[in-house]
Amino acid sequence: MSRPSALRVRDLTVTFGTARGPVPAVRDISFDVAPGEVLGLVGESGSGKSTIGLAALGLHDPARTHVEGSIRLGDGPELVGAPESVLKRVRGAKAAMVFQDALDALSPYHTIGAQIAEAYRVHHPKAGRRVARQRAAAMLERVGIPAARASDHPHHLSGGMRQRVVIAMALVNDPDVLIADEPTTALDARVQRQVLDLIHELQTETGTAMLLITHDVGVVAATCHRMLVLRAGEALEEGPTTRLLTSAAHPYTRALVQAAPTLRTPPGSRLPTVEDPEPKPRATARPGTAPAPTGVLAELRDLRVEYPGRRRFRPHIAVDGVSLHVSRGETLGLVGESGSGKSTIARVLAGLRRPTGGEVRFDGRDISGAATNARLRRELSRDVQLVFQDPYASLNPRRTVEQIVTTPLRVHTDLDAARRRDRAVELLEQVGLSASHLSRHPHEFSGGQRQRIGIARALAVRPRLVIADEPVSALDVSVQAQVLNLLMDLREELGLSLLFISHDLAVVRHFCDRIAVLKDGRLVEAGPRDTVFDTPAAPYTKDLLAAVL
């Protein structure tokens, strides 16, 4: 006897209409999710995960999308091809969705209480405003937010609290199916753990079936009963999570599982990728301990950075009394949750932000005033370069790769156009691209390729310090592994010093020699990698490590 299905998908095929003709995004996908079960849809960007989630709620543009197959919620009507009136009754009541970016999913003009109450009244039109407000307050309390904050707007809340609001909106009508599309990707480790624990608690309490869409194998391991692996719109493998994580049959699944570093991954080792599932050991891999320092390259002494408050509000202290240094040839990992001051320190070291107090030195020179001194800022930019978190936002979409990569050369060297082009080719080859990519624009590349272009641009003038601000947090695990392997190769080949900023402790342990931990703008712990991870002294560091999935 077959078990009941809260969500039943059969032979689902989704095709997008484009100027170049139809493009199949999903091909013949079939699966079931039972009441109370969590099924993880796993795969890289472009594998069709979100397409399936959107199709389940009929959220695709019918004028540009063709959907075939069958989607049913329990014993409900067929949703593929159903009229909008049917889909409106289903959305939010029978099935609800939690999106990746909570700030985009919430209206900035309305209070969070009003938005949750509206989601309730849509499906309970006879309920009065008072009842809806009471229901909204109860849902806020249920997700761990005081009901008194119902009058707050989304921008008043942290990222984790906004995601809790989105979860409250999704569950306010007690749906049978919850579709969670990368619900914790943009969150810090502790907040991610809190949100996942909350979803699991609520889902278990209500018996809701959940379709969890993610590329994070750690999230799947912590939350899912079964997983379905997708690649290029096709299902490769499905089965119990434990079996697929330990003895997957398909090489692609094994590569995805192994690509993400864990706290047990040997530091400095080459990570497997989908293209190279069994990489050879790095010939120049770093030993288990940090290399002997060869002198201080960059240093912060009692750094303080304040942002002015609006009207009569006090200034916001972003960094308070931080002292740390980066030695020549060393990689320092800067760890902390959002708002801890990591990116502010990066901007100060790069000469993009003037400190309020303290001293900033590079190679023995005081650079504290670089942000307001054009000549000093120009000189510093040759020695200090940045690799940003979002490779698409940091690349000019109107410029070709050649123009992007050669811009630092035009500013800092007297090379002619031909020699700049030669240097650009050399840089692209160094990061795993080719001369044929010079004439293309950023939108013609994948996320991993765009990050490689950003790295090539940063290396163009042979800087002595590279500041990598969350350089892999927006990438799929296999692409993340490719970029980390590349950075490790370049570090060994060029003798780079790096300030590596991340909230992913497993990545930091794998990549960095020393670790500095920030909390609320203060330095709570710093030391060699193995010391910080194996015998952390600060309670906050212990909490961060305990939250790693």
Side-chain angles (χ1 to χ4, degrees):
M1 183 176 178
S2 61
R3 62 178 182 172
S5 294
L7 174 62
R8 176 186 173 95
V9 176
R10 289 291 180 271
D11 304 319
L12 180 65
T13 297
V14 181
T15 304
F16 295 137
T18 70
R20 299 180 180 178
V23 175
V26 172
R27 303 181 187 88
D28 298 321
I29 299 294
S30 298
F31 61 84
D32 290 89
V33 188
E37 183 182 39
V38 183
L39 173 67
L41 280 187
V42 183
E44 298 177 285
S45 294
S47 62
K49 307 186 301 297
S50 295
T51 299
I52 292 173
L54 295 172
L57 293 178
L59 294 175
H60 287 299
D61 181 357
R64 299 182 179 181
T65 310
H66 181 64
V67 182
E68 298 177 342
S70 173
I71 301 175
R72 290 181 181 271
L73 299 173
D75 297 327
E78 174 62 56
L79 299 182
V80 173
E84 185 64 18
S85 57
V86 172
L87 294 174
K88 283 184 176 180
R89 289 197 298 270
V90 168
R91 296 181 193 131
K94 297 296 184 182
M97 196 160 189
V98 176
F99 295 94
Q100 176 177 349
D101 192 333
L103 195 57
D104 284 346
L106 297 171
S107 167
Y109 302 107
H110 301 87
T111 66
I112 59 174
Q115 294 184 63
I116 298 173
E118 181 186 14
Y120 182 75
R121 293 192 69 196
V122 165
H123 296 285
H124 298 82
K126 295 182 179 180
R129 294 181 181 274
R130 181 183 175 188
V131 172
R133 285 197 301 269
Q134 291 174 341
R135 175 67 173 171
M139 285 304 303
L140 285 175
E141 294 281 358
R142 196 174 175 188
V143 299
I145 298 177
R149 302 206 64 173
S151 58
D152 285 354
H153 287 78
H155 68 272
H156 292 136
L157 307 178
S158 67
M161 293 182 74
R162 285 196 292 264
Q163 197 63 289
R164 289 170 181 264
V165 173
V166 172
I167 293 169
M169 287 180 64
L171 296 178
V172 70
N173 294 299
D174 295 323
D176 298 325
V177 177
L178 179 66
I179 301 171
D181 190 358
E182 301 276 11
T184 61
T185 296
L187 303 178
D188 300 319
R190 281 207 314 171
V191 181
Q192 180 185 65
R193 169 68 78 174
Q194 292 168 6
V195 170
L196 287 175
D197 287 347
L198 170 66
I199 292 177
H200 176 71
E201 177 186 336
L202 296 175
Q203 181 261 338
T204 303
E205 175 187 324
T206 60
T208 303
M210 184 162 75
L211 185 65
L212 179 63
I213 299 169
T214 183
H215 65 260
D216 191 328
V217 177
V219 170
V220 173
T223 58
C224 297
H225 301 104
R226 291 187 302 118
M227 57 188 285
L228 172 61
V229 182
L230 302 174
R231 188 181 191 187
E234 297 182 353
L236 297 186
E237 194 167 4
E238 181 181 3
T241 299
T242 302
R243 178 175 67 78
L244 264 63
L245 292 180
T246 57
S247 56
H250 200 285
Y252 178 80
T253 306
R254 294 197 296 270
L256 276 184
V257 171
Q258 298 168 4
T262 69
L263 295 181
R264 297 179 298 276
T265 303
S269 60
R270 185 177 292 277
L271 296 170
T273 66
V274 171
E275 290 75 14
D276 185 17
E278 297 181 359
K280 296 179 181 179
R282 179 174 285 102
T284 56
R286 295 190 169 195
T289 58
T294 58
V296 173
L297 178 63
E299 185 178 15
L300 307 176
R301 298 177 181 174
D302 199 24
L303 181 70
R304 183 181 178 90
V305 181
E306 296 178 358
Y307 291 100
R310 292 184 300 171
R311 297 179 182 174
R312 292 175 293 177
F313 291 101
R314 294 180 178 179
H316 169 65
I317 302 174
V319 179
D320 188 9
V322 170
S323 297
L324 54 82
H325 70 273
V326 183
S327 297
R328 292 181 176 86
E330 177 186 56
T331 301
L332 174 67
L334 201 55
V335 175
E337 296 176 296
S338 295
S340 61
K342 304 187 303 294
S343 294
T344 297
I345 288 176
R347 292 177 62 82
V348 169
L349 263 180
L352 299 175
R353 177 81 196 180
R354 187 180 180 91
T356 307
E359 189 176 1
V360 187
R361 304 188 73 84
F362 183 85
D363 200 17
R365 182 184 185 185
D366 189 341
I367 60 167
S368 303
T372 54
N373 185 321
R375 181 183 59 81
L376 180 56
R377 169 73 189 94
R378 182 186 178 103
E379 293 174 359
L380 183 64
S381 66
R382 174 156 192 154
D383 288 323
V384 181
Q385 285 287 315
L386 286 139
V387 177
F388 298 94
Q389 176 177 355
D390 188 340
Y392 192 67
S394 64
L395 301 176
N396 190 327
R398 297 185 178 184
R399 295 199 169 198
T400 65
V401 170
E402 180 177 357
Q403 292 171 324
I404 290 169
V405 174
T406 58
T407 295
L409 297 173
R410 287 192 291 105
V411 173
H412 292 291
T413 73
D414 56 1
L415 298 177
D416 59 26
R419 293 168 67 191
R420 290 198 300 267
R421 181 182 175 86
D422 290 342
R423 174 65 175 152
V425 172
E426 176 188 336
L427 288 163
L428 289 185
E429 291 176 348
Q430 203 167 31
V431 300
L433 300 175
S434 68
S436 64
H437 294 122
L438 284 174
S439 60
R440 299 186 187 180
H441 290 78
H443 72 271
E444 299 178 81
F445 296 89
S446 67
Q449 288 175 319
R450 287 196 288 262
Q451 195 60 292
R452 289 170 183 264
I453 295 168
I455 293 170
R457 177 179 60 184
L459 297 177
V461 290
R462 297 183 175 89
R464 288 190 285 169
L465 175 65
V466 172
I467 301 172
D469 190 356
E470 299 275 11
V472 296
S473 64
L475 304 177
D476 295 325
V477 287
S478 185
V479 180
Q480 171 184 279
Q482 294 172 17
V483 173
L484 287 174
N485 286 341
L486 170 64
L487 286 172
M488 285 188 284
D489 289 341
L490 294 172
R491 178 179 63 183
E492 304 296 343
E493 177 185 341
L494 304 175
L496 290 173
S497 300
L498 285 105
L499 178 64
F500 189 86
I501 297 171
S502 179
H503 65 258
D504 190 326
L505 296 182
V507 168
V508 169
R509 184 181 189 278
H510 181 76
F511 188 73
C512 300
D513 302 313
R514 283 194 310 115
I515 313 296
V517 183
L518 295 174
K519 182 180 188 296
D520 298 331
R522 293 178 176 271
L523 185 67
V524 299
E525 185 165 2
R529 173 191 60 233
D530 293 342
T531 301
V532 172
F533 278 91
D534 297 341
T535 56
Y540 177 72
T541 307
K542 295 176 183 178
D543 289 345
L544 286 180
L545 290 170
V548 177
L549 295 174

